[in-house]
Amino acid sequence: MFAYVVKRLISGVLVVALVSMAIFLLFWYGPSSPAQPVCDRETSNRCTPARLEVYEKTLGYDNPVYEEYGKFVKGVFVGRTITIASSEYQCSAPCLGVSFRTKQPVKEELVSRMPATFSVAIGGAFLYLLFGVPIGVAAARRRGTVTDKALVSSFLFISSIPYYLFALLTWLYLTLTFPVPLFSDTGYFSFFSEGPWKWFSGLFLAWVALGIFGCTQYTRFTRGAMVEALSEDYIRTAKAKGLPARTIVYKHGLRAALVPVVTIFGIDFGTLLAGTIFTERIFEIQGIGWWSLQAVQGRDLPVVQATALFSAVVLIISNLLVDVVYSVLDPRVRLS
């Protein structure tokens, strides 16, 4: 187990390095100069070729790409000094750059937005499983009945709606048209400074939108896996031995059915942790997703690069955890 984890961590580091190189090269050899957004912002959109050349020189974009990438990697470990226009900014390790828009270290802004994104992700993922798995089990136990068909068709209808439209309609109806008492003031409020209730009420509708929409696929996954598990020979043997139906379903059948569900959940949870752009934007939650969207719109390249790297790290870690949990749920799987 330990050797496997170390091997996966090493491969994860290589993947992060490749992602950082790819992002760096995309920015460097893009259709416009990476210094263009800085020049436009600092000169109030009056950037001339001469001014652009000056900004390219101060930002280091006139140097070879490998040299600037080396400075970026070095800054991650020991920090560095970044020059924007005529100002210098000290960026401590791990240095992910300085935002072109706010002139603040990207690392500090990333850390400040993590609690909002993590709160949305944990609440939404919890509702994925809270609703999706039990409903999927119930549908599998009633396979072919009216209840099963009603659940599958209704969830199929919900999942056919684009998520951004579903989340927007949830916000419009539950905050403007039919405001839900105590929950219509959406947004992220600090658990410690604003209080647990304010934190909960501000995120409640975002969790509802994520949970209802996300649980539809988990219902289908769980139902399919349970139908397959309940048709196995060991289930028939357990029935022949006279074991209670609840024991057969939840102790033997559900454990086998959870294996593919956990695999999908690990990837989905990692994606949520990397930032839920539509959810954060619609419900006005200042998290990593909304921050990355603002960075793309404002061509804030250091922020875009940092959020992409953060997403890669989160997905790598979540996949590693999924592999470990997979071996626990299914004894036939051994990590080696």
Side-chain angles (χ1 to χ4, degrees):
M1 173 73 78
F2 178 75
Y4 174 82
V5 172
V6 171
K7 186 189 302 182
R8 286 296 302 271
L9 288 175
I10 294 174
S11 63
V13 171
L14 294 177
V15 170
V16 172
L18 291 175
V19 170
S20 67
M21 290 180 188
I23 297 170
F24 208 86
L25 291 174
L26 286 173
F27 287 159
W28 195 275
Y29 296 109
S32 62
S33 171
Q36 186 70 50
V38 183
C39 184
D40 291 338
R41 187 174 291 108
E42 296 293 330
T43 61
S44 301
N45 292 320
R46 289 179 293 181
C47 182
T48 62
R51 287 176 174 175
L52 179 61
E53 186 177 351
V54 172
Y55 281 99
E56 287 180 341
K57 185 175 183 179
T58 58
L59 290 170
Y61 291 125
D62 61 334
N63 297 327
V65 61
Y66 62 83
E67 181 178 331
E68 289 303 308
Y69 181 74
K71 291 180 181 179
F72 171 77
V73 174
K74 181 180 178 181
V76 172
F77 294 99
V78 299
R80 59 178 173 145
T81 301
I82 298 176
T83 303
I84 300 178
S86 58
S87 302
E88 291 188 348
Y89 301 89
Q90 295 295 328
C91 183
S92 59
C95 177
L96 299 175
V98 172
S99 171
F100 291 163
R101 185 168 57 91
T102 64
K103 304 299 188 298
Q104 297 296 319
V106 173
K107 176 190 65 176
E108 296 179 3
E109 295 195 38
L110 177 65
V111 172
S112 68
R113 284 166 171 78
M114 281 184 183
T117 296
F118 284 12
S119 296
V120 174
I122 293 172
F126 175 74
L127 294 181
Y128 282 3
L129 300 180
L130 180 65
F131 295 130
V133 173
I135 295 175
V137 173
R141 295 185 65 182
R142 296 164 179 80
R143 180 186 180 188
T145 64
V146 175
T147 302
D148 176 33
K149 294 177 181 178
L151 288 173
V152 172
S153 58
S154 60
F155 282 155
L156 185 62
F157 171 76
I158 294 174
S159 62
S160 65
I161 304 173
Y163 174 70
Y164 67 86
L165 178 60
F166 181 83
L168 182 60
L169 292 175
T170 302
W171 180 80
L172 288 174
Y173 278 100
L174 298 183
T175 61
L176 299 180
T177 308
F178 307 105
V180 179
L182 305 177
F183 299 114
S184 57
D185 185 15
T186 61
Y188 174 75
F189 305 95
S190 174
F191 183 91
F192 300 101
S193 60
E194 300 285 345
W197 173 251
K198 189 70 173 176
W199 169 81
F200 178 83
S201 62
L203 295 171
F204 179 76
L205 293 183
W207 289 339
V208 168
L210 270 176
I212 293 177
F213 192 87
C215 80
T216 58
Q217 63 173 338
Y218 283 89
T219 297
R220 299 198 308 273
F221 292 148
T222 305
R223 179 190 176 277
M226 279 296 295
V227 168
E228 182 178 353
L230 294 177
S231 62
E232 294 289 341
D233 291 338
Y234 67 89
I235 296 294
R236 287 193 289 268
T237 302
K239 291 179 180 179
K241 290 182 177 180
L243 292 178
R246 180 178 295 273
T247 302
I248 295 173
V249 171
Y250 293 103
K251 184 177 180 180
H252 300 288
L254 183 59
R255 181 173 181 177
L258 281 179
V259 173
V261 174
V262 166
T263 303
I264 299 167
F265 177 76
I267 298 173
D268 286 346
F269 187 57
T271 305
L272 288 176
L273 289 177
T276 52
I277 295 177
F278 293 126
T279 304
E280 293 177 10
R281 179 64 187 89
I282 291 171
F283 294 96
E284 299 179 329
I285 298 170
Q286 294 285 351
I288 296 173
W290 192 359
W291 183 46
S292 63
L293 178 62
Q294 292 173 325
V296 171
Q297 293 173 337
R299 295 186 295 175
D300 197 344
L301 303 186
V303 173
V304 176
Q305 185 174 12
T307 53
L309 287 175
F310 176 76
S311 301
V313 171
V314 168
L315 288 174
I316 289 169
I317 294 175
S318 63
N319 284 332
L320 175 60
L321 294 177
V322 164
D323 288 343
V324 175
V325 175
Y326 199 107
S327 67
V328 175
L329 291 175
D330 191 349
R332 294 172 299 179
V333 177
R334 287 290 178 265
L335 303 179
S336 59

